[in-house]
Amino acid sequence: MICNLNALFVWLYAISGAISIVKAQTQQVFQVDSKPVAPLSTKERIAIIGAGAGGASAAYYLQRYSDNAYDITVFEKNKYIGGRSTTVNVHDDPSWPVELGASIFVKENLNLMAAAKDLGLTVRSSELGRVKKQDDISVEDSFGIWDGKSFVFSASSESSWKSIAKMLYQYGTAPIKARRLAKQTLGSFLKYYEESNFPFQNLTEISNRYGLVNLTDETAYNYFTEKGISELFVDQIVQAATRVNYAQNVKKVQALEAVVCLAADEGLNVEGGNWRIFDAMLQKSSATVRLQTTVTEILRSSSDAGKWELRVNDAEDAEVFDQIIIASPYHQTGIGGSLFNIPEVPYMTLYVTLFTSTKRLSPTYFGLPNSATVPTMLLTTLPADEEKGSHMPPIFNSISIIRYIPETKEYVYKIFSPSKITPSFLQLIFLPGAEFGWVYEKTWKPYPKLDPVAKFTDWKLDEDGIWYLNGIEQFISTMETASLAGANVAAMIVGSNNNTVISVP
């Protein structure tokens, strides 16, 4: 999940607040410390496959709920912890880190917020799209939505009331209705954390109970328009959200993902990179972490009933574990065989291009006058008359200035796109004479193809202790929900050995 809850949705919050929408108060359902259960007489061995948000959270909560009763080994095929949450250093300088994957979370992400506090990490307001004045270079905090030919909406924080008036004039009451709908949905989701529901044994059942399957089983376009929200707002604002966050359009993506995007308040991140939450979780769990280690096979133990043999990197010798938590998309893990009935879910391919330049984007390419400045956060939508073929849709999902480096007088840009960005394209969209001092490219499969769905993969794949976290991604694909899945399965494992009530801390 690369859920880039960004400046656009903070804008929507500000606009909604300015016209007297009452912010729903989040009930604090977490405790600073959960009640520790009695440790097991002998430590069970648990293998976790994947050191991202879900795997790290599973390790952290297993130990927290059980007073360190487990012997945990985490297998990660990459050479770093964090999964789809990772940073890279501009010009290889560690003083200039930028997020490559999951960039932002919000204060309603109660699991991440509580863990960051418990682990002593610094949470700060994100500066995505907010570039300060540096060395007499003034960079406005602004965003725009481009349809491949012209901007269908744009705004700047330097004229907030004008921007609010512009949005209300263009979309009527749609922003108000959408905001209310998002807050109502968030309220339903937060019930999953309540002590009376946690841990929830079945994601499909609890989602039906609180009405959220009504959103996952419908496209965003149909859901919003059926709720009386104008097609123009859905096609432009909501679609910009689903394209930047999930690389999918409103007539295809399920509605809950779109609603989640609009529920964001202030964007937050962890100083030094969001991956530090998951690194700190694993450290606190005392788990053995084996990087660059691919699990190739899981078999029932031939010598120990109810246990499992796990092979890595095609080694002949197997290791024996009592239980295994699969915390990565199963069909991307490299595990062979078909022992477990996990439906194959296609994942989107996303190209992330980071680069630096002393130049700004070309206003003429984006249909602006020569004297204009292209917004610092540029989101995209489809042409209104796309079916008539009036002009080509954008070939990228977003372009953002994510920081300014005064030492080199460079802007750092990030592009999300469904295909590779070429050097010739960069020259085309920038002002003449643009040079690119540093370029970094990454191809992700960051989130599933989020078609409407009414049933989710069970947590438990085998009664002898095989668990799967990533079924939650078809429900909501974010760092927070991955972490919640890890905590939920940890609580189910610990609870099966004890009668003590467990709540999400």
Side-chain angles (χ1 to χ4, degrees):
M1 134 236 92
I2 301 175
C3 190
N4 291 282
L5 299 167
N6 50 51
L8 168 61
F9 317 118
V10 177
W11 274 89
L12 286 176
Y13 172 69
I15 289 168
S16 301
I19 46 185
S20 300
I21 286 187
V22 178
K23 177 183 173 185
Q25 294 298 314
T26 301
Q27 181 184 2
Q28 179 57 266
V29 297
F30 287 163
Q31 300 175 8
V32 175
D33 290 298
S34 60
K35 301 173 184 177
V37 300
L40 306 175
S41 56
T42 59
K43 287 194 173 185
E44 287 188 16
R45 292 198 73 204
I46 295 185
I48 299 176
I49 303 171
S57 295
Y60 171 71
Y61 286 110
L62 276 169
Q63 302 293 45
R64 183 163 185 166
Y65 292 150
S66 69
D67 196 18
N68 297 291
Y70 296 95
D71 178 358
I72 301 172
T73 302
V74 179
F75 299 91
E76 172 56 56
K77 66 180 181 179
N78 294 307
K79 61 182 180 181
Y80 58 87
I81 289 168
R84 288 164 275 178
S85 176
T86 185
T87 57
V88 294
N89 298 322
V90 180
H91 291 301
D92 297 321
D93 189 327
S95 63
W96 300 331
V98 292
E99 294 282 358
L100 180 61
S103 302
I104 293 172
F105 57 96
V106 294
K107 65 177 181 295
E108 287 87 355
N109 291 162
L110 303 180
N111 225 23
L112 296 180
M113 291 294 292
K117 180 179 179 181
D118 175 55
L119 298 166
L121 301 174
T122 300
V123 175
R124 62 186 183 185
S125 178
S126 170
E127 295 186 353
L128 183 63
R130 302 175 184 177
V131 183
K132 300 176 182 179
K133 295 180 180 179
Q134 298 277 5
D135 292 353
D136 299 323
I137 298 178
S138 177
V139 184
E140 76 290 351
D141 174 6
S142 58
F143 79 87
I145 301 172
W146 189 65
D147 71 355
K149 183 179 181 180
S150 59
F151 281 92
V152 298
F153 187 81
S154 60
S156 171
S157 65
E158 295 174 359
S159 55
S160 59
W161 284 104
K162 290 181 181 179
S163 299
I164 292 168
K166 182 178 180 181
M167 178 167 275
L168 293 176
Y169 177 78
Q170 186 159 327
Y171 301 113
T173 60
I176 305 171
K177 292 179 180 178
R179 182 64 180 178
R180 285 176 177 160
L181 185 62
K183 282 300 183 182
Q184 290 169 4
T185 303
L186 177 62
S188 295
F189 173 64
L190 289 178
K191 293 182 183 298
Y192 289 48
Y193 296 79
E194 292 179 359
E195 202 164 310
S196 58
N197 292 321
F198 186 86
F200 43 96
Q201 303 295 314
N202 187 291
L203 179 58
T204 302
E205 187 279 327
I206 194 173
S207 300
N208 270 301
R209 189 192 319 161
Y210 292 112
L212 295 187
V213 169
N214 294 336
L215 283 78
T216 65
D217 197 26
E218 184 75 275
T219 68
Y221 181 86
N222 288 345
Y223 185 79
F224 278 99
T225 54
E226 287 166 3
K227 293 293 184 180
I229 296 171
S230 71
E231 291 184 28
L232 186 65
F233 183 83
V234 176
D235 285 337
Q236 294 181 357
I237 298 293
V238 180
Q239 187 147 257
T242 61
R243 284 173 63 84
V244 69
N245 283 302
Y246 295 107
Q248 294 163 73
N249 298 322
V250 292
K251 291 186 177 179
K252 297 290 186 181
V253 71
Q254 55 101 326
L256 184 57
E257 301 292 345
V259 173
V260 165
C261 294
L262 300 180
D265 289 345
E266 181 184 16
L268 304 170
N269 55 30
V270 170
E271 186 175 330
N274 293 328
W275 64 271
R276 295 188 63 210
I277 296 179
F278 313 120
D279 181 63
M281 281 179 164
L282 289 173
Q283 289 186 43
K284 191 154 187 177
S285 74
S286 300
T288 299
V289 180
R290 293 166 62 177
L291 301 179
Q292 294 182 285
T293 305
T294 299
V295 175
T296 55
E297 195 170 23
I298 298 173
L299 297 169
R300 293 186 185 278
S301 175
S302 57
S303 57
D304 296 309
K307 296 191 178 184
W308 300 91
E309 294 181 358
L310 184 150
R311 285 188 172 86
V312 299
N313 297 343
D314 293 320
E316 291 185 9
D317 295 331
E319 299 180 55
V320 178
F321 292 91
D322 295 282
Q323 302 194 60
I324 297 175
I325 299 172
I326 302 171
S328 296
Y330 180 74
H331 297 280
Q332 297 179 30
T333 59
I335 300 172
S338 56
L339 184 61
F340 311 115
N341 183 26
I342 302 175
E344 185 165 4
V345 176
Y347 272 64
M348 303 298 293
T349 298
L350 183 73
Y351 291 80
V352 183
T353 309
L354 294 167
F355 58 94
T356 60
S357 179
T358 59
K359 298 286 188 179
R360 294 289 297 272
L361 293 168
S362 167
T364 56
Y365 178 87
F366 293 100
L368 297 173
N370 287 334
S371 58
T373 303
V374 178
T376 56
M377 174 167 287
L378 194 162
L379 308 183
T380 61
T381 187
L382 300 180
D385 49 0
E386 179 193 10
E387 294 180 1
K388 300 178 182 178
S390 64
H391 63 273
M392 292 292 292
I395 68 169
F396 56 88
N397 301 332
S398 65
I399 304 177
S400 301
I401 295 177
I402 56 175
R403 72 179 301 165
Y404 179 75
I405 300 177
E407 291 88 339
T408 60
K409 295 183 169 55
E410 290 176 304
Y411 307 102
V412 182
Y413 291 86
K414 177 189 280 189
I415 299 182
F416 288 157
S417 60
S419 57
K420 183 178 175 63
I421 296 297
T422 64
S424 59
F425 178 71
L426 289 182
Q427 291 292 344
L428 184 65
I429 65 175
F430 270 81
L431 289 168
E435 295 181 354
F436 307 103
W438 171 82
V439 179
Y440 187 97
E441 298 172 311
K442 173 71 177 181
T443 305
W444 292 102
K445 288 191 178 294
Y447 23 67
K449 189 171 181 284
L450 291 160
D451 293 333
V453 61
K455 188 178 187 306
F456 310 102
T457 304
D458 291 337
W459 302 117
K460 200 167 191 178
L461 302 179
D462 189 281
E463 287 303 314
D464 284 332
I466 299 291
W467 305 83
Y468 186 58
L469 303 186
N470 289 69
I472 202 169
E473 289 198 281
Q474 285 190 288
F475 173 67
I476 301 174
S477 182
T478 63
M479 288 188 290
E480 173 67 13
T481 46
S483 182
L484 176 62
N488 193 71
V489 165
M492 292 173 71
I493 292 172
V494 175
S496 68
N497 291 307
N498 300 273
N499 296 319
T500 305
V501 174
I502 296 171
S503 62
V504 179

